[in-house]
Amino acid sequence: MTSTRSIAGHSELPDNIYILLVDSLFQERRTFLIGAVIMSGAIAATFWKTGEPLIAFTAIAFTAVSIMRLLFMYAYQRASASIKTGDDARKWQYGYVAGASVSVLLMGVWSFVACVFTSDSFAHLVSFSMTIAFLLGVFGRNFGSSTFVVVQLACAALPMMAALLFQADIFYLAFAILLAPFFLTLKFISERFRDTLLDAILATHRATALAKRFDTALSNMPHGLCMLDSKGHILVVNERLLELLDLADRLD
């Protein structure tokens, strides 16, 4: 009997599909590396422009976390062949999402520091726009769990909105109010994407399982069976019928 794992509102998700979802998190290492380099460069650029030490700390921390995440992805690649159960996959999933959440939190901290500790418009623009752009890719990769998406949303949204509120400016306040439905929309999009994809995967899995059961029943029934279409073409024939008609050798 295939064991199941609860994820994304699907209480009957088989372990083999759950493992595939976790495996998808660790694909496209090249894309992850390019994104990490771009983000580290953007944070470094705002430090070069403003000279704010906290931004330098954020750049170093983000780069260090990105390197650890990349090493973790390579470690998963080496261990992937030994991952056979949902419990094994869950440990890797939690490790991946923990690293992703720290990365997103550091981007939120960068936006907060740039906005609160500097008055540089370039730093404000780059930190907020790059963080929001990065989030779109993050949630595309972590749609598999609603909880993980909410955690990462909070890691980015809370520092960013707090930075805008610290400005005590009506226009910054308006921007903060507009960000709230934006982040909420990201959550809804992620949930919709997740449900649509998982429903399709589960439907395919059930159809495949049904086909295997039908093939097993057909092959083991004691009677010969043949199914024809409206034109008289053979659609299905079992081994027992071939034996009864002495046709097995001819078909080979």
Side-chain angles (χ1 to χ4, degrees), residues 11 33 41 76 78 84 112 124 130-131 149 165 240 242:
S11 59
L33 180 59
Y76 173 85
R78 292 191 296 270
K84 304 297 184 182
F112 180 86
H124 296 182
M130 291 295 292
T131 299
V149 169
L165 295 177
R240 180 56 179 159
L242 296 179

Side-chain angles (χ1 to χ4, degrees), residues 149-161:
V149 169
V150 170
V151 168
Q152 292 181 60
L153 274 172
C155 287
L158 294 179
M160 294 175 73
M161 296 180 71

